Amino acid sequence: MQVFGLVGNPVGHSLSPPMHEAAYDALGIDARYVTFEPGVDDIERAVDGAAALGIAGLNVTIPFKQHVLDLVEPDPLAARIGAVNTVDFSTDRPKGYNTDAAGVTRSFAHHDVPLDGRDAVVVGAGGAGRAVAFALADAGCAVHVANRTVETAEELAGSVEGATAGGLETLDRVGEADVLVNATSVGMEEDASPVPTEHLHADLAVLDAVYTPIETRLLREASAAGATTIDGAWMLLFQGVEAFERWTDRDAPVEAMNEALRARL
Ligand code: NAP
């Protein structure tokens, strides 16, 4: 039996175990997916221990994504983003990937939203915002990053090809954009939207990284404006799909994983 898992602190709320185990069941793979919650200073020992125990693959979440970058051989995209969320232990030195980026591009592809040559606005410049900005730029978007803390947006845009940056007052650029991604946590704790309604329009495709609640205020208002809306469970699904495919070299059973995920949201 192969063992996969998730390291984070905390991980109690994770939807990854049912999502991945649905994939193993669908394809008849003899594997389990378990969660691990090492102390915040114990991640190095945890990764060494996982390798020694023969664990096949780990997902990595808050607060360890940046630290794990230094403990594995990151692929070039993970190195540019500065965070690893997927570790593959099948080689001598574990390899690190950032599948949040594929989670973004595959979500748009699944909804038939083209990205090449499009204007995109990313609101937020934290961990998710970094993955989103690199993913969209690599897919051919001209990216503008708007963030509450302008310096963080500027720092991110400085490392993303062709990107621009500004504070939240630059969200008026959404009015001319084709693609909008919310990569802030706004909308999770309260019924609030990070983007003023007047900027939303029918030619926009909106992905909200927030997935609790599944229908955020931003998505409700975007839908009312006639925009294409993509909820955060798609991004969560496709980062898991991408991790599964990296670990197993097989096409993921996307429908089975999606059903298992949405049954728990
Ligand atoms: P993070 O690193 O802590 O970054 C948080 C971001 O939100 C920062 O840009 C922060 O701006 C901004 N922000 C927080 N409160 C705000 C407010 N009241 N007004 C405006 N901006 C505010 O968090 P993260 O890891 O990037 O996660 C962000 C969200 O994405 C979370 O809801 C998370 O659950 C979600 N996420 C979803 C997926 C998925 O697969 N669907 C994957 C990863 C993350 P400042 O820089 O000014 O503080």
Side-chain angles (χ1 to χ4, degrees):
M1 185 182 74
Q2 284 184 297
V3 177
F4 298 90
L6 170 69
V7 279
N9 190 337
V11 289
H13 61 283
S14 175
L15 299 164
S16 290
M19 179 170 68
H20 282 277
E21 295 204 337
Y24 310 148
D25 289 347
L27 297 183
I29 296 173
D30 185 18
R32 283 288 165 267
Y33 187 105
V34 291
T35 58
F36 301 101
E37 200 169 289
V40 288
D41 298 324
D42 282 339
I43 187 62
E44 193 163 349
R45 290 199 303 140
V47 169
D48 285 348
L53 290 170
I55 285 176
L58 285 177
N59 284 134
V60 183
T61 189
I62 288 169
F64 300 126
K65 285 185 185 187
Q66 286 78 19
H67 192 158
V68 167
L69 186 75
D70 301 326
L71 307 177
V72 300
E73 188 74 51
D75 83 338
L77 178 61
R80 282 191 295 149
I81 294 170
V84 160
N85 80 328
T86 299
V87 180
D88 178 3
F89 289 97
S90 65
T91 46
D92 274 352
R93 180 158 159 78
K95 286 202 178 116
Y97 303 99
N98 189 309
T99 69
D100 284 336
V104 173
T105 49
R106 291 181 75 163
S107 293
F108 283 110
H110 185 81
H111 289 81
D112 296 321
V113 175
L115 295 173
D116 194 17
R118 304 295 163 122
D119 284 329
V121 174
V122 180
V123 52
R130 291 188 65 82
V132 172
F134 281 104
L136 293 179
D138 284 3
C141 286
V143 174
H144 178 73
V145 182
N147 194 47
R148 180 177 62 180
T149 307
V150 183
E151 293 74 23
T152 318
E154 285 171 345
E155 192 190 327
L156 171 55
S159 53
V160 174
E161 202 182 331
T164 55
L168 295 179
E169 73 285 354
T170 62
L171 282 170
D172 57 356
R173 294 181 63 147
V174 172
E176 302 296 319
D178 308 294
V179 168
L180 168 67
V181 179
N182 173 35
T184 74
S185 46
V186 177
M188 248 171 96
E189 300 290 327
E190 49 186 351
D191 188 36
S193 168
V195 181
T197 319
E198 71 255 31
H199 303 319
L200 303 172
H201 56 87
D203 296 326
L204 197 60
V206 183
L207 167 63
D208 198 335
V210 171
Y211 55 86
T212 47
I214 193 78
E215 192 188 48
T216 58
R217 180 163 182 169
L218 170 62
L219 291 185
R220 266 198 331 270
E221 293 181 348
S223 179
T228 300
T229 57
I230 304 171
D231 66 51
W234 290 108
M235 181 176 164
L236 184 65
L237 170 69
F238 281 113
Q239 64 76 31
V241 162
E242 182 81 10
F244 175 92
E245 292 179 348
R246 298 262 177 188
W247 288 327
T248 65
D249 272 331
R250 297 175 69 168
D251 287 343
V254 175
E255 273 318 308
M257 294 173 78
N258 191 33
E259 252 178 52
L261 177 62
R262 283 179 192 272
R264 284 158 183 89
L265 279 168

